[in-house]
Amino acid sequence: MLKIYFSPDDILRTRVAPGADPLWELILSVHVLQVRSPDPLTSGWRRGVSRELRRLVGAEPMRLLFALNPGRGYFPDFLTPHEGLQGLAEGLEAIRSTPVRLLHRDMTRMAGEHPLPASAGALARGEPEMLRHLTDSMERYRELALSPYWAHIQAAIDSDRMRRARALLDGGVEGLLDSFRPLARWESGVLEIHGYPESRELHLDGRGLLLVPSFFCAGTPVALADPDLPPVLVYPVDRLGGLVTAGTGGGASARAGTGREALAALLGRTRAAVLEATDAGCTTGEVARRLRISPAAASQHATVLRNAGLLVSHRDRNTVLHTLTPLGRAILDA
């Protein structure tokens, strides 16, 4: 179990990341790729990415990336710097600028738990060329494994952020932390994560906690191993169906040529209006009030749209929050 201890200052400084962290998604996707799993939501992605990687894994830097990120167990903190929230380029630059003492510390622990290729020694010494090779391989991997799916990944994370925003508005930060059940339990100033691979405690000491929603976080939330780094808890989001590469299509001219009339002709005016109402997230009651229909009718239309893969619904106590899936977003934008 992981226990995270909050002071009143920590509660004030706890927040949710503004979007997908490209480095966390990259690193955690490498973990997912190396674990045999029947998960239907990533099975097609795994097959496609594995095929493409077969022609690249002979390169030493790519072997090093995979060796540093086994399917289970410890992986180095320096691969997911805080700067990754600012974008991929900033995150990779932070990796290249990692102090040698931190590289040596992380790599020593890594070598004690997992076999590493010969190039790991040069990385532990902080040799700039090996750091560049590593970040180049990370860029190459992301282009192949994540870029074609990024809109879908971001949509799933946006949906989760809407859900957390509702919890924050309704119950403050404590309501936000309580919304993570059953992944975590919030009680008396302590957030408990069951099923963590090791027993440890994290005292925030007034620094607050950054909650990072992640598509590729599998099952149990993840925290950095170094308690002195800015505290982060990466947690899994609902994946909104399997990964698909289809683009959203449309464009300005297509949107101008079709418009909401075409959408209404396709779905019916009321269901088209429900789809629009859920653009920024909407409960069943809010849909009913906005469209001046009964809650039962709003629920029925939302169910039809959800069954068609256009909406995803999250129940929280007595309310149900509806948000668009990537397919729903594509249809609305088109």
Side-chain angles (χ1 to χ4, degrees):
M1 179 190 297
L2 171 65
K3 291 186 175 182
I4 304 177
Y5 290 85
F6 290 72
S7 69
D9 285 343
D10 293 315
I11 291 177
L12 291 174
R13 294 187 177 120
T14 292
R15 66 253 186 239
V16 179
D21 184 311
L23 287 180
W24 273 108
E25 294 301 331
L26 189 158
I27 295 304
L28 293 176
S29 75
V30 174
H31 297 183
V32 169
L33 199 61
Q34 297 186 83
V35 176
R36 291 186 179 274
S37 169
D39 183 358
L41 300 182
T42 57
S43 58
W45 170 84
R46 287 165 54 86
R47 287 193 299 271
V49 172
S50 296
R51 281 197 302 269
E52 291 298 320
L53 282 173
R54 288 191 189 104
R55 61 185 179 86
L56 297 175
V57 293
E60 183 67 19
M62 191 65 77
R63 285 204 297 270
L64 179 60
L65 172 62
F66 275 72
L68 292 177
N69 293 282
R72 294 183 176 88
Y74 173 78
F75 60 97
D77 285 341
F78 78 85
L79 292 174
T80 52
H82 196 72
E83 291 84 353
L85 284 170
Q86 302 169 26
L88 181 67
E90 291 82 357
L92 294 178
E93 180 56 35
I95 291 175
R96 288 189 288 266
S97 303
T98 305
V100 174
R101 63 179 179 82
L102 296 183
L103 288 170
H104 184 267
R105 181 201 63 185
D106 286 4
M107 294 302 294
T108 299
R109 177 172 177 178
M110 191 74 198
E113 298 185 20
H114 303 280
L116 294 174
S119 55
L123 185 62
R125 293 189 296 272
E127 295 184 9
E129 183 178 358
M130 185 52 62
L131 281 163
R132 283 195 302 273
H133 283 321
L134 175 62
T135 54
D136 286 349
S137 72
M138 292 172 73
E139 283 191 281
R140 195 156 64 244
Y141 172 85
R142 184 179 189 271
E143 186 64 27
L144 183 154
L146 297 183
S147 292
Y149 310 92
W150 196 249
H152 190 107
I153 292 167
Q154 187 66 62
I157 287 171
D158 286 346
S159 176
D160 183 87
R161 277 175 47 80
M162 292 175 190
R163 180 184 177 189
R164 305 307 167 188
R166 291 274 176 168
L168 180 65
L169 287 171
D170 291 344
V173 176
E174 291 192 329
L176 167 64
L177 295 171
D178 194 53
S179 74
F180 287 98
R181 291 178 184 266
L183 287 173
R185 185 178 68 178
W186 168 253
E187 188 171 350
S188 303
V190 181
L191 189 66
E192 298 180 346
I193 293 93
H194 294 269
Y196 206 73
E198 61 179 341
S199 294
R200 56 178 289 210
E201 295 182 349
L202 175 59
H203 293 266
L204 299 179
D205 296 327
R207 296 172 294 173
L209 181 66
L210 178 65
L211 297 159
V212 180
S214 169
F215 187 93
F216 282 102
C217 183
T220 305
V222 180
L224 294 169
D226 185 352
D228 295 327
L229 290 172
V232 167
L233 185 69
V234 183
Y235 66 90
V237 302
D238 290 341
R239 290 172 173 167
L240 310 184
L243 286 172
V244 293
T245 57
T248 57
S253 61
R255 286 195 296 272
T258 55
R260 294 298 186 257
E261 292 80 6
L263 183 59
L266 175 66
L267 300 176
R269 291 197 176 277
T270 303
R271 284 181 190 152
V274 171
L275 199 66
E276 278 197 89
T278 55
D279 187 15
C282 208
T283 67
T284 304
E286 288 168 342
V287 170
R289 287 192 294 274
R290 288 186 188 184
L291 304 186
R292 298 182 180 181
I293 58 178
S294 70
S299 178
Q300 182 183 26
H301 289 304
T303 298
V304 172
L305 294 170
R306 182 173 63 251
N307 290 341
L310 306 183
L311 296 182
V312 63
S313 302
H314 298 283
R315 178 172 291 280
D316 184 12
R317 296 182 177 88
N318 296 325
T319 63
V320 179
L321 177 66
H322 309 286
T323 55
L324 296 179
T325 65
L327 178 59
R329 169 75 60 191
I331 289 176
L332 188 63
D333 288 346

